[in-house]
Structures are given as C-alpha cells and as structure tokens.
Amino acid sequence: MTLVKQCFSAGVWTLLMGCVFVAHAVTFEVTDGNSTCIKAELNANFSISYNTTNGTSEAVFAMPSSASVGNRSSCGGAGVPPELVMSFGAGHMISLMFSSNERLYRVTNISLQYNLSDPDNFPQSSRTGVVTVTTNSSEILAQMNTTYRCLSSSSISLSAGVNVTFSDLRMEAYMTTANLSSDESVCSADQTSTTVVPTHTPGTTAAPTKPPAPPSTPDRGNYSVTNGNGTVCLLALMGLQLNITHLSKSLNKSVSEVVNLQPNSTRASGSCGVTVATLMLTQDLTNLTFTFTQNSTTKKFHLSAVNVSAFWSDMTDRFEEGNVSLDLLQCSVGRSYMCSTEQTLAVTPSFSINTFSLQLQPFNVTENRFSAAEECRVDRENMLIPIIVGAALAGLVVIVLIAYLIGRKRTHAGYQTI
Ligand SMILES: *[C@@H]1O[C@H](CO)[C@@H](O)[C@H](O)[C@H]1NC(C)=O
Ligand SMILES: *[C@@H]1O[C@H](CO)[C@@H](O)[C@H](O)[C@H]1NC(C)=O
Ligand SMILES: *[C@@H]1O[C@H](CO)[C@@H](O)[C@H](O)[C@H]1NC(C)=O
Ligand SMILES: *[C@@H]1O[C@H](CO)[C@@H](O)[C@H](O)[C@H]1NC(C)=O
Ligand SMILES: *[C@@H]1O[C@H](CO)[C@@H](O)[C@H](O)[C@H]1NC(C)=O
Ligand SMILES: *[C@@H]1O[C@H](CO)[C@@H](O)[C@H](O)[C@H]1NC(C)=O
Ligand SMILES: *[C@@H]1O[C@H](CO)[C@@H](O)[C@H](O)[C@H]1NC(C)=O
Ligand SMILES: *[C@@H]1O[C@H](CO)[C@@H](O)[C@H](O)[C@H]1NC(C)=O
Ligand SMILES: *[C@@H]1O[C@H](CO)[C@@H](O)[C@H](O)[C@H]1NC(C)=O
Ligand SMILES: *[C@@H]1O[C@H](CO)[C@@H](O)[C@H](O)[C@H]1NC(C)=O
Ligand SMILES: *[C@@H]1O[C@H](CO)[C@@H](O)[C@H](O)[C@H]1NC(C)=O
Ligand SMILES: *[C@@H]1O[C@H](CO)[C@@H](O)[C@H](O)[C@H]1NC(C)=O
C-alpha cells in the first residue's frame, strides 16, 4: 500500500493545516496550530439525481483520493462548532459538523455542496451552479476520547434523490492527542457483522451470541390529566414501548435498547389549553412529554411534539431528545383517536415509540369519557378485508340463487310443453 502525504496551508485560516493521505480510505486532518482536533479516514460514495436536457439522470461517483481538507474547516470554539470540510473534484464539498457534551460527541449536521457545472459527473445537466443539501439526522455518535468506527457502509439521505454512503469510516473529533484513540465506539452495523460466525470452521458448533429477546407487548396504561377544577380534560389508554439508540456502558458500543413503560409505576400529569394540550409521563428513569396541537381552521388535532429524558442503567449519559415539528395521530376535534394495531412513532433518528392498543383524546373530553373514535388507517384497512370477503361471499350466494331460480323456471317451462 502506497501512502502519499500531501499537506498544504489553508489561505484565510493560516492556523489551519490540511493533510491528505492517499490510501485505501481517504484521510483528513483538521489542526489548530500544532494540535489535531479532528481526524477522519473514510470512503464516500455519492448518488445524486439531477435534471438533464432530456429527462432526469443519476450521477454516481466516489470521493476521489485527491480530496482535501477545505479551508472552512475549524476546530471550533467561541460558539463555533468544530467542522470538517472535505473538498474534491470540480467544486464539490461535504462537511460534517460536531457537537459534544462531557461524555459524548456526535455529528449534528451533514452538508453536501455539489457543482452541476461539472460536466464529468453531471453530463448534460440542464442547470449549472452549486446546489447545497443538508441533513441533521445522522447516527454518528461516539464516546469522548474514542474513535468512531463504522466499516460497514451506511447510507444517509441528504434530500430527495441525494444520498451519501460512507464506508471504512474511522473518525475522532475533540481529540486530545494527534493519533486516533485505540478505544473505539463501534456502530451498530459493525456489531452485527462481527457476530457472524465463519461457516468454514469445521467441527465447531459455536453458538452465536444470542440477540436480546424482543420485549413482550407492554401493559396498557390508563392515563389522564385533570384541569384546575378537577375535571378530566385529557384521556389516554395505551401500551408504550420506547426504543432508544444510545451508547451502552457495558458494551462500549451503540445499541438500540427497547423498554416497556410500566403503567403501575408511571405518573401522568400535564395541562389542557384551548389549542395545546400536554401529557407528561414520569417514571424513575424516564420522563416523556407528548404535546397535542389543535388547528382551528381544519378542526383537527395532532401529536405535534414528543420529548424524552431518560437515564437508564446502561446509558453512559442522560439521553435527552425531542422533535417539535411532528404531525402524527391526526384526528378531528371532538373525537378520540384510536389505533389497535401496533404503530411506530419515529421521533428522532435515535428515538422511536411503539404504541399498542392506543386510544386518546386531548381535547373536548366530557364526563370523563372518550368521545366517538376515529380509527387509524391501518385499523380501517384491517377492517376492510373481512368486509370485502363478506361482500364477495354475499355476491356469490346471490349468483347461485339466481342460477337456481332460472334453472327451476326452465324445468317448469319444459314440463308445460309436454
Ligand atoms: C509547532 O511545532 C514546531 C516544531 O515542531 C514549533 O517550532 C512551533 O513553535 C509549534 N507551534 C505551535 C503553535 O505550537
Ligand atoms: C463506492 O464506489 C466504488 C467505485 O464506484 C465501488 O467500488 C464501491 O463498492 C462503492 N462502495 C459502496 C459502499 O457502495
Ligand atoms: C427536475 O425538474 C422538475 C420539473 O421542472 C422539478 O420538479 C424537479 O425538482 C427537478 N429535479 C431536480 C433534481 O432538480
Ligand atoms: C439524452 O439524449 C441523448 C441523445 O439523444 C442520449 O444519448 C442520452 O442518453 C439521453 N439522456 C437521457 C437521460 O435520456
Ligand atoms: C479525555 O482525555 C482528556 C485527556 O486525557 C481528559 O482530560 C478528559 O477528561 C477525557 N474525557 C473523558 C470524557 O474521558
Ligand atoms: C437514497 O436512499 C434511499 C433509502 O436509503 C433510497 O430509497 C433511494 O433510492 C436512494 N436514492 C438514490 C438516488 O440513490
Ligand atoms: C372547569 O373548568 C373548565 C375550564 O377550565 C370549564 O370549561 C368547566 O366548565 C369547569 N367545570 C366545572 C365543573 O366547573
Ligand atoms: C429500535 O430501533 C432500531 C433503530 O431504529 C431498529 O433497528 C429496531 O428494529 C427497533 N426495535 C424495535 C423493537 O422497535
Ligand atoms: C407492575 O406490574 C408488573 C407486571 O404487571 C409487575 O411485575 C410489577 O411488580 C409491578 N410493580 C409495581 C410497583 O406494582
Ligand atoms: C392548519 O391547517 C392548515 C391546512 O392544513 C394549514 O395551512 C395551517 O397552517 C394550519 N394552522 C396551524 C396553526 O397549524
Ligand atoms: C424527570 O423530571 C423530574 C422533574 O422535573 C426530574 O427531577 C428527573 O430528574 C427527571 N428524570 C429524568 C430521567 O430525566
Ligand atoms: C370543543 O370544545 C370547545 C370549547 O372548549 C368548543 O368551542 C367546540 O365547539 C368543541 N368542539 C367539538 C367538536 O365538540
């Protein structure tokens, strides 16, 4: 393997230096003075749909080994987050922005700039110029002072039709030494591939490490919120299962932990406003808040925000995430929302909730009872199948009956002619 080292000083940021090692994976290093703060080795493939003069086309290309550290790269400080910018080809660049707390660091933002004026990668493009797409959903998360490792390929969608696939990724930010830490935070895709038992070891019946048993269906909780004068104003009957992807303390790896919410140890509280209602479910180790919003124009309400704060025994740090721009569980005001089928509420890339036998009403509850229910689409579709089968059977009976009557009439007619 040949290793070519090529360093250059970046124009404006005279303190920043960029180095490129041409090897299997491309290496990038962001430095501030003589100290390295971000180092990354990776392969990146891009797939981008774009419009041509006679239709749409897909550009598929890999980051070339000549890619270099862009001069917008920064070690951060004074409110500026650390950022690694990788520039390549004719005016393309991809950047990773980091954030951290005392124990963890993560990639909070991935941004890609591609240049449609580059005829090699975007032949016959109907547009020219630079396009920028950004996402803040990335699962790149590692413990401080460890190297994030993900050799498996992982695809990230930056926008409709624009994907980047990373592979052979080893990266560390907030570095305290010039070399990647030997301690690693391994992505979940790599973990499953390491448990694969080689098939060509004869004579061994090595049992692969058992995956954790999927938890049972959660118990159905009966939660309610009362307003100032003691009237019940929000009702919820549901089984909840939380799915949090976090760094495991025992395994030192990223894991998806699935935990049922135990209704008998959960306390419900909240508030009922005219257009906004909240339900807070509190447990020893978990706080969960649901916010429902009513739209007075459409006369509908929906689940608009979910926030979680959890500190489970195997977590290295408190997990606090939320999403305030959700549009889930939509239902007419004055009705209750019902979904018997299991549903998954995707809140953030590392946090989702599975709901079981759900019925809830955040507005216009009268006499401590649910109003008429509006069923979710999956339930309605499940209901539809027996109806269709029933209708088909009824149709068949009618056809047989008609055939029988016609047949009888014919035989009668036959007798009369004799
Ligand atoms: C960087 O290292 C060189 C020698 O390796 C030294 O002369 C220089 O002063 C150092 N610069 C800083 C900012 O530490
Ligand atoms: C990336 O592209 C290169 C060349 O086009 C290909 O050899 C490689 O398999 C691709 N890698 C992934 C992870 O798709
Ligand atoms: C291609 O053109 C169509 C119609 O003008 C437009 O809707 C679409 O967004 C364009 N796609 C891209 C990738 O630019
Ligand atoms: C556009 O037309 C040219 C010439 O007719 C053809 O070679 C090319 O494949 C077409 N591109 C697309 C995306 O259809
Ligand atoms: C990381 O390493 C530095 C230097 O060794 C140390 O000061 C810091 O406390 C470490 N951080 C964590 C979270 O272990
Ligand atoms: C991007 O990825 C998504 C899901 O991973 C896939 O459905 C889509 O086809 C991909 N788009 C392109 C242009 O490769
Ligand atoms: C309780 O207060 C709500 C408004 O906060 C009001 O609509 C309702 O009529 C009150 N109920 C009783 C029994 O006073
Ligand atoms: C939990 O989330 C992970 C990552 O999104 C997913 O792969 C897994 O299937 C989920 N498990 C359950 C039981 O929902
Ligand atoms: C809560 O219910 C579960 C199962 O229904 C039971 O195992 C547990 O002991 C109960 N806990 C309390 C505090 O009642
Ligand atoms: C209510 O719904 C309409 C139609 O979907 C939308 O345009 C409007 O912004 C919504 N209003 C609020 C306050 O969300
Ligand atoms: C839940 O909220 C309470 C009250 O705000 C707080 O004391 C507790 O630490 C929180 N628990 C978690 C796991 O965040
Ligand atoms: C819901 O309650 C509000 C007052 O709290 C009332 O104005 C509205 O008409 C009610 N809507 C329905 C559909 O019952």
Side-chain angles (χ1 to χ4, degrees):
M1 180 164 60
T2 53
L3 205 66
V4 180
K5 188 174 172 187
Q6 158 189 65
C7 286
F8 64 96
S9 53
V12 189
W13 300 68
T14 44
L15 284 176
L16 293 175
M17 297 279 288
C19 297
V20 183
F21 300 89
V22 182
H24 181 50
V26 195
T27 299
F28 303 90
E29 192 171 342
V30 180
T31 59
D32 185 353
N34 283 351
S35 61
T36 302
C37 59
I38 307 173
K39 201 165 190 173
E41 303 171 6
L42 55 92
N43 280 322
N45 282 5
F46 303 90
S47 105
I48 301 170
S49 357
Y50 67 103
N51 285 337
T52 60
T53 40
N54 56 356
T56 62
S57 197
E58 194 183 331
V60 177
F61 54 92
M63 184 152 70
S65 49
S66 59
S68 61
V69 175
N71 55 17
R72 219 181 65 219
S73 296
S74 154
C75 285
V80 181
E83 185 173 6
L84 165 63
V85 180
M86 297 165 268
S87 306
F88 58 96
H92 313 295
M93 63 171 79
I94 180 160
S95 89
L96 307 179
M97 211 180 263
F98 297 86
S99 72
S100 72
N101 58 25
E102 324 80 70
R103 287 174 142 178
L104 304 171
Y105 68 93
R106 64 173 73 213
V107 171
T108 46
N109 194 296
I110 301 178
S111 164
L112 171 68
Q113 250 183 50
Y114 56 95
N115 184 4
L116 290 172
S117 311
D118 168 10
D120 294 336
N121 287 321
F122 301 98
Q124 294 177 310
S125 172
S126 57
R127 273 179 59 198
T128 56
V130 169
V131 178
T132 305
V133 287
T134 296
T135 181
N136 54 13
S137 57
S138 120
E139 287 175 8
I140 301 177
L141 167 73
Q143 209 161 352
M144 275 291 197
N145 295 345
T146 70
T147 300
Y148 177 80
R149 187 193 95 186
C150 201
L151 304 181
S152 317
S153 58
S154 68
S155 284
I156 297 163
S157 171
L158 289 150
S159 111
V162 181
N163 290 352
V164 57
T165 304
F166 291 117
S167 55
D168 295 318
L169 175 63
R170 267 181 224 277
M171 176 166 71
E172 186 171 358
Y174 302 95
M175 295 173 79
T176 52
T177 60
N179 296 317
L180 288 177
S181 301
S182 51
D183 285 348
E184 291 182 329
S185 294
V186 181
C187 68
S188 41
D190 276 13
Q191 289 162 34
T192 50
S193 61
T194 53
T195 56
V196 172
V197 178
T199 49
H200 53 76
T201 26
T204 52
T205 49
T209 37
K210 247 192 242 158
S216 54
T217 306
D219 290 335
R220 201 178 190 203
N222 189 350
Y223 309 109
S224 63
V225 176
T226 47
N227 65 13
N229 57 18
T231 328
V232 171
C233 57
L234 183 153
L235 285 172
L237 255 178
M238 56 197 176
L240 296 178
Q241 198 171 66
L242 310 185
N243 185 347
I244 295 184
T245 305
H246 65 88
L247 206 61
S248 155
K249 199 158 67 183
S250 58
L251 303 170
N252 195 21
K253 289 170 177 175
S254 162
V255 296
S256 290
E257 194 172 355
V258 179
V259 168
N260 289 345
L261 205 69
Q262 292 296 345
N264 55 6
S265 59
T266 304
R267 204 174 66 82
S269 60
S271 64
C272 301
V274 181
T275 56
V276 178
T278 59
L279 169 64
M280 282 186 304
L281 299 179
T282 316
Q283 263 198 342
D284 277 356
L285 306 174
T286 314
N287 286 345
L288 193 60
T289 309
F290 296 91
T291 305
F292 299 91
T293 307
Q294 196 182 119
N295 185 325
S296 45
T297 341
T298 59
K299 297 268 191 293
K300 298 217 170 225
F301 68 82
H302 64 273
L303 175 64
S304 58
V306 176
N307 286 292
V308 72
S309 164
F311 207 169
W312 298 344
S313 55
D314 195 30
M315 285 182 170
T316 47
D317 205 5
R318 184 185 297 273
F319 181 92
E320 275 182 296
E321 283 195 6
N323 188 336
V324 295
S325 52
L326 297 173
D327 189 2
L328 301 167
L329 317 182
Q330 212 179 70
C331 177
S332 305
V333 170
R335 300 288 200 95
S336 64
Y337 178 91
M338 190 156 142
C339 204
S340 310
T341 316
E342 179 184 346
Q343 238 183 334
T344 298
L345 311 177
V347 180
T348 71
S350 40
F351 170 49
S352 63
I353 303 174
N354 300 323
T355 70
F356 298 79
S357 312
L358 171 86
Q359 185 171 16
L360 57 84
Q361 186 172 353
F363 299 105
N364 292 58
V365 172
T366 50
E367 292 167 2
N368 198 3
R369 278 211 307 264
F370 281 114
S371 307
E374 235 172 66
E375 291 212 61
C376 61
R377 221 184 71 213
V378 204
D379 278 8
R380 288 201 307 269
E381 277 163 7
N382 288 349
M383 288 280 291
L384 219 57
I385 295 163
I387 291 173
I388 291 169
V389 172
L393 282 177
L396 208 67
V397 168
V398 169
I399 290 167
V400 169
L401 207 70
I402 290 172
Y404 168 75
L405 289 176
I406 290 174
R408 233 168 72 126
K409 216 172 177 182
R410 282 240 180 99
T411 40
H412 274 281
Y415 282 124
Q416 273 160 9
T417 50
I418 287 173

